[in-house]
Amino acid sequence: MPADDGTLRTTAAVRVTARAEGKELAHAVLQPGGELSLGSEDGNTMVVKHPQVSRRHLLLRHLAAGVLAKDLGSKNGTRLQDAKLTEALVPVGAALLLGAVEVRLEALEADDVTRLGPLETRSPVMKKAVDLLARAAPKDVTILLEGETGTGKDVCARAVHAASARANKPLETVDCGAFARELAAAELFGHEKGAFTGADRARAGAFERATGGTLFLDEVGELPLELQPLLLRVLESRTVKRVGGDTWLPIDVRVIAATHRDLDAQVKAGTFRADLLHRLAVVRVRVPKLSERLEDVPLLARAILSSLGERARGFSLSPTTLSLLESQPWPGNVRELRNFLERATAVGLEDQTRTPPADTATPDYAEARDRALEAFERDFAVFILKRADGNVSRAAREAGMNRAYLHRLLKRHGLSGT
């Protein structure tokens, strides 16, 4: 929680992770009250082998108000949000730049996280889903994933595949709503040369391509009704016949299907076959929407930023920002959170501690960026002025800023010094 002086009090250990070009170079844990030296030479607490990291580059000290970061006279320097850092108190959640190397500071809280491959959750409702997936994964049964668009059903499918005996075999994904009706059968089952106009060569379908592995049928509720009995026959017989072919080929494929539709309602409406639903839903798992698992937002944000690689280098999410993100409704679910973070990294919202995402579908990111930068400027000015005992010249010198510029900054934010 923020203290009265605006700083963030934390007693959690901090995970320090160094990355470059989207790859992790090293990591270490900074305990409360402890310190950590980072550099390229052996003997540092955290050794980061990279040409832009000096032999003794950075010292980190865990304080109640955050992490005190001190550059040790490195060649390429240390930067925080595009500002050169000599010594500064940085919040947990910040990302420092050592040349091309990103050093991210993240709170290492009590590990109450349930994991299955890429899935991580602290949410009781999501833990139920993950537990069911974990028990089903090694048993090779067909799984039906149900949930709103953007809840991460594809990640669930990847997690099941990775936890199964088929993990080293192909994971083939087919979006059942993405191809034209007349080509749907060919996409799933393959076709022979000359089977239809444009079929100038034979081609294996998704079932054949996934042989030995897993076939993920995304948005299976979009399958045309006339194709559903063909899919049912393949699932029951474990054989497939290409369009225009005469031979039934044996297949060895585990099927995971997903839909955002209410298939029970579609069965009643006559647009989805009941026997196909029964065949697909051997294990039926509901993937909760993000508003039901808001405690997972920090975990999801960390995973998303990690997946963005170089695009997110140097981007920071403070604990206060994460709290704000946890308070949002996220009607677009995890996909909306990912889109927000991608846009935020693109426009430079390094600090959003006072700028929650807009509830509208088209938020004004220029305005959000200005507000975020204004908040950062004020917080930074307060911090360096306090460290310099109110002496503006000393504060400007320690921050590597022009004294006149710092005076203007203080005036703009209603601050004063000597």
Side-chain angles (χ1 to χ4, degrees):
M1 300 225 7
D4 292 339
D5 60 2
T7 59
L8 186 84
R9 304 298 183 189
T10 178
T11 57
V14 174
R15 178 183 170 91
V16 184
T17 307
R19 294 177 179 272
E21 298 178 354
K23 297 180 180 180
E24 182 175 314
L25 304 179
H27 69 266
V29 175
L30 179 60
Q31 297 292 346
E35 66 178 33
L36 178 154
S37 62
L38 186 154
S40 61
E41 72 175 5
D42 295 338
N44 284 287
T45 314
M46 182 171 167
V47 178
V48 180
K49 299 293 186 181
H50 191 278
Q52 294 190 21
V53 175
S54 297
R55 289 181 298 172
R56 295 186 70 250
H57 197 118
L58 182 67
L59 180 69
L60 299 175
R61 184 174 292 119
H62 192 308
L63 305 177
V67 176
L68 183 66
K70 180 179 181 181
D71 186 271
L72 300 176
S74 65
K75 180 179 179 180
N76 289 303
T78 302
R79 304 187 73 82
L80 172 65
Q81 298 176 333
D82 294 329
K84 187 174 181 180
L85 177 153
T86 302
E87 181 175 348
L89 187 67
V90 299
V92 176
L96 304 173
L97 293 179
L98 284 55
V101 176
E102 177 192 67
V103 175
R104 191 170 290 277
L105 311 176
E106 297 171 312
L108 192 65
E109 300 172 354
D111 194 4
D112 58 346
V113 178
T114 296
R115 297 179 174 86
L116 179 66
L119 289 176
E120 292 185 325
T121 181
R122 288 193 176 97
S123 160
V125 65
M126 187 62 182
K127 283 184 177 183
K128 291 181 180 179
V130 173
D131 179 65
L132 186 53
L133 292 173
R135 286 186 281 129
K139 298 181 180 178
D140 223 27
V141 294
T142 303
I143 297 174
L144 176 63
L145 303 169
E146 298 175 291
E148 291 185 0
T149 299
T151 51
K153 297 184 291 293
D154 58 329
V155 180
C156 292
R158 293 202 306 270
V160 170
H161 176 72
S164 73
R166 299 174 179 267
N168 295 323
K169 298 294 184 178
L171 171 61
E172 186 74 22
T173 298
V174 173
D175 184 345
C176 298
F179 39 66
R181 296 173 71 93
E182 60 272 15
L183 298 178
E187 175 62 29
L188 284 173
F189 311 130
H191 62 79
E192 298 293 354
K193 181 178 180 180
F196 50 83
T197 302
D200 56 353
R201 59 183 176 85
R203 182 174 183 269
F207 275 94
E208 287 185 72
R209 296 196 300 270
T211 295
T214 303
L215 176 60
F216 177 44
L217 299 176
D218 198 10
E219 294 303 344
V220 71
E222 309 303 316
L223 275 178
L225 188 60
E226 63 270 19
L227 190 61
Q228 293 175 26
L230 300 178
L231 175 59
L232 178 63
R233 176 168 182 170
V234 170
L235 294 176
E236 291 184 333
S237 68
R238 296 291 167 178
T239 59
V240 65
K241 184 170 69 173
R242 293 181 178 180
V243 176
D246 298 317
T247 305
W248 287 92
L249 306 171
I251 56 169
D252 174 22
V253 173
R254 197 253 185 91
V255 173
I256 301 174
T259 182
H260 76 282
R261 295 193 178 277
D262 183 342
L263 293 188
D264 293 307
Q266 287 192 226
V267 168
K268 291 180 180 179
T271 58
F272 201 86
R273 291 177 63 111
D275 48 4
L276 178 57
L277 174 57
H278 296 151
R279 174 59 65 178
L280 292 172
V282 177
V283 174
R284 198 168 185 172
V285 180
R286 175 181 170 271
V287 182
K289 54 189 178 181
L290 186 52
S291 61
E292 297 177 68
R293 48 179 294 215
L294 290 172
E295 56 266 68
D296 285 345
V297 166
L299 293 172
L300 292 166
R302 183 179 66 190
I304 291 168
L305 291 176
S306 178
S307 72
L308 293 178
E310 286 297 290
R311 285 185 289 167
R313 187 168 67 90
F315 182 83
S316 299
L317 286 175
S318 72
T320 307
T321 301
L322 287 172
S323 295
L324 290 170
L325 296 182
E326 287 182 83
S327 70
Q328 301 305 304
W330 301 112
N333 296 300
V334 181
R335 185 172 297 165
E336 183 184 0
L337 175 62
R338 182 181 182 88
N339 289 344
F340 171 78
L341 291 174
E342 286 185 342
R343 288 192 295 267
T345 58
V347 300
L349 292 180
E350 289 89 354
D351 188 299
Q352 306 168 76
T353 55
R354 297 176 186 173
T355 312
D359 289 334
T360 61
T362 55
D364 187 339
Y365 283 98
E367 180 182 349
R369 177 187 59 202
D370 291 343
R371 290 167 58 195
L373 291 176
E374 181 181 357
F376 169 73
E377 283 181 347
R378 186 184 188 284
D379 291 346
F380 188 73
V382 168
F383 169 72
I384 61 173
L385 199 62
K386 184 177 180 180
R387 279 186 58 83
D389 297 323
N391 187 299
V392 176
S393 296
R394 179 183 162 193
R397 190 166 55 251
E398 291 185 357
M401 300 171 66
N402 180 278
R403 184 175 181 275
Y405 176 77
L406 180 55
H407 267 299
R408 291 197 298 272
L409 196 65
L410 295 174
K411 183 179 181 179
R412 182 160 66 242
H413 295 288
L415 304 171
S416 63
T418 57

